[in-house]
Amino acid sequence: MPAVRGAPRRVRQNRRVPIHQITDPDDDRIADYRALTDVELRTRWEPPHGLFIAEGELVLRRALRAGYPARSYLVDAKRVDQLADLDTGETPVYAATQDVLQRATGFHVHRGVLASFRRKPLPAAAEVLASARRVAILEDVNNHTNLGAVFRGAAALGIDGVLLSPTCADPLYRRSVRVSMGEVFAVPYAKFERWPAGLDEVREAGFTVLAMTPAPDAVPIQRLSPAQRERAALLLGAEGPGLTAAAQSASDVRVVVPMRRGVDSLNVAAAAAVAFWELGRDDPPYGGA
């Protein structure tokens, strides 16, 4: 039967669960997605309310595989078929036009898929350390892009956990999650309550704390001894200021990635990736996907 001009457009259903059409950007049902580009608002809203936003189908699916419970899905009405294979259970699936999506979120949702997830309780630092051989420790890294890139490098290059100073950015902020390509879900992380006193806990767990710095008297990272590499905790600071003097003083060894052509340092995410690879270069080959 041909469609009747002017009749309400039907949206395909996702298996058992109906797709709910959203026509008003101020609809309270999609309040989780409001003003996603307002960093200050979102960082005040998301952690206290126990939620985070995933952007893009790949990231959404990785969050589900990691066991994060979905609160809702919000998709471009033209892309509802992308979620057709998901067992969404009782979780509502909302669909809207690009115009409504943009007015609600504050940006053009070109990936077409968003989801709101419930956070899981963070483990204690001791729990992350107990199951790790090699960890990264971040001090004052509050750029979400850099944070996400560090997590992606950690997942790819053999880092078993990430520990954050109290002033680090939220790894589950949308931009961090997106830049990490969802790998933030694959690497256990925890936040220290005390800093830099938390580094004592790392050392007591049997790790050697390696402070990354461009200082001329730092040890080139490739010259670390086998004992220093055995259980390494790589300490990295924020873009620009680097590690504080207090954090460096609380470390065991200051290390550097040697530079050439007068370059003094790398972006923190790039430096982290180089150092992660170097620390794990003698690991057995890994053929996993």
Side-chain angles (χ1 to χ4, degrees), residues 80-287:
V80 293
D81 286 349
Q82 290 182 222
L83 304 185
D85 64 310
L86 292 183
D87 183 2
T88 54
E90 299 302 315
T91 306
V93 181
Y94 303 115
T97 64
Q98 267 294 340
D99 177 66
V100 172
L101 289 176
Q102 183 163 349
R103 288 160 62 198
T105 63
F107 73 103
H108 178 71
V109 186
H110 65 277
R111 288 178 174 82
V113 178
L114 297 166
S116 174
F117 285 93
R118 293 183 180 90
R119 293 174 182 249
K120 297 190 289 188
L122 281 183
E127 185 179 342
V128 173
L129 292 167
S131 58
R133 175 188 172 195
R134 194 177 297 131
V135 297
I137 306 174
L138 307 182
E139 181 188 40
D140 297 345
V141 176
N142 48 33
N143 179 288
H144 294 101
T145 299
N146 285 337
L147 188 63
V150 169
F151 267 90
R152 188 175 183 185
L157 298 169
I159 298 300
D160 303 311
V162 176
L163 302 174
L164 309 171
S165 75
T167 52
C168 279
D170 177 17
L172 294 184
Y173 179 69
R174 179 177 58 92
R175 188 177 302 141
S176 296
V177 173
R178 186 185 70 225
V179 171
S180 80
M181 296 296 289
E183 298 299 350
V184 67
F185 309 133
V187 183
Y189 72 92
K191 274 201 170 188
F192 289 111
E193 294 183 1
R194 299 178 303 127
W195 186 262
L199 294 175
D200 294 336
E201 184 179 353
V202 178
R203 192 175 295 102
E204 290 166 4
F207 289 83
T208 301
V209 180
L210 309 174
M212 288 281 291
T213 172
D217 60 343
V219 176
I221 193 167
Q222 69 270 29
R223 295 182 187 170
L224 288 171
S225 70
Q228 291 169 326
R229 292 169 174 271
E230 180 61 26
R231 297 194 75 199
L234 188 70
L235 178 58
L236 299 125
E239 192 78 19
L243 291 171
T244 62
Q248 292 190 51
S249 296
S251 67
D252 296 307
V253 184
R254 297 197 306 162
V255 298
V256 64
V257 173
M259 299 284 107
R260 300 179 182 179
R261 296 178 177 168
V263 178
D264 62 349
S265 64
L266 296 173
N267 165 277
V268 63
V274 172
F276 294 163
W277 183 89
E278 172 60 30
L279 291 174
R281 61 180 166 83
D282 294 328
D283 288 353
Y286 174 62

Side-chain angles (χ1 to χ4, degrees), residues 24-26 30 33-36 74 99-106:
D24 181 0
D26 294 322
I30 59 168
Y33 305 94
R34 198 156 292 145
L36 292 183
L74 177 61
D99 177 66
V100 172
L101 289 176
Q102 183 163 349
R103 288 160 62 198
T105 63

Side-chain angles (χ1 to χ4, degrees), residues 57-68 180-183 185:
E57 183 183 356
L58 181 149
V59 171
L60 178 157
R61 291 178 183 274
R62 286 182 174 172
L64 289 171
R65 284 202 299 270
Y68 287 91
S180 80
M181 296 296 289
E183 298 299 350
F185 309 133

